[in-house]
Amino acid sequence: DVCAREAAMALLRQMFGDSVNRMKPPGAGRFVIKSGLRESVEDASEVERLSDDVVVIPAPGGRATKETWQQMVNEHGEAAWIQPVITDDLGHERFPTGELTVRFDKRPSDEGVQAFARDRGLRVERRNTYQPEQVVLVPERPRDVYLPELCEELEREPEVARAWLNTLSRYTR
């Protein structure tokens, strides 16, 4: 229902700001890698450490496309997952966490959420206590899933109001 989707988006923007769920396609030219980075790359000067097991590195050729993502997955066989850095409407980088949030049009049952996730190769990480229509999902095989594309696919599902990547952000004063 178009009206319900628009109302949900207006509510999300009101709650979280205008750019929180309007991510642009990958374009930052960098990738986030969770664990398993080759030692020769881990010590390189262009590696940015986000945490003990998550780093950001430049994309091959400076472009974070699905093709370069696949190249990175092939090159870093020990990585738990690799995803492109994305940008919001204001051009700020957002660093994927490997999770995505789905907001359903209507509150699904626990069994319905489990079936939805299972049918798409996902698993339920947690449900939102305050927004029962929202659920956080993670891919069963995270190395095999290009999350920006998965979010687009999920948003085309009739029961889904919105899907977005969970990200870390960097703020400056």
Side-chain angles (χ1 to χ4, degrees), residues 147-167:
L147 288 178
E149 187 175 84
L150 176 61
C151 280
E152 290 175 7
E153 291 170 9
L154 292 175
E155 284 199 326
R156 290 191 291 271
E157 297 283 343
E159 66 269 32
V160 173
R162 189 79 176 121
W164 63 90
L165 299 179
N166 290 1
T167 61

Side-chain angles (χ1 to χ4, degrees), residues 88-135:
D88 64 18
D89 283 349
L90 302 174
H92 299 119
E93 289 184 321
R94 304 292 178 122
F95 305 97
T97 65
E99 301 176 337
L100 58 110
T101 298
V102 172
R103 182 179 189 89
F104 292 93
D105 285 325
K106 298 177 184 164
R107 179 184 181 173
S109 67
D110 288 341
E111 297 80 21
V113 168
Q114 292 294 338
F116 179 89
R118 184 180 51 253
D119 292 348
R120 291 156 183 82
L122 303 168
R123 72 176 162 76
V124 176
E125 186 71 12
R126 63 188 172 278
R127 296 228 24 195
N128 186 318
T129 305
Y130 304 104
Q131 295 291 325
E133 301 84 16
Q134 281 183 201
V135 61

Side-chain angles (χ1 to χ4, degrees), residues 45-60:
S45 62
E46 62 270 359
V47 172
E48 178 183 347
R49 187 165 296 283
L50 295 180
S51 69
D52 287 343
D53 63 345
V54 178
V55 297
V56 179
I57 65 170

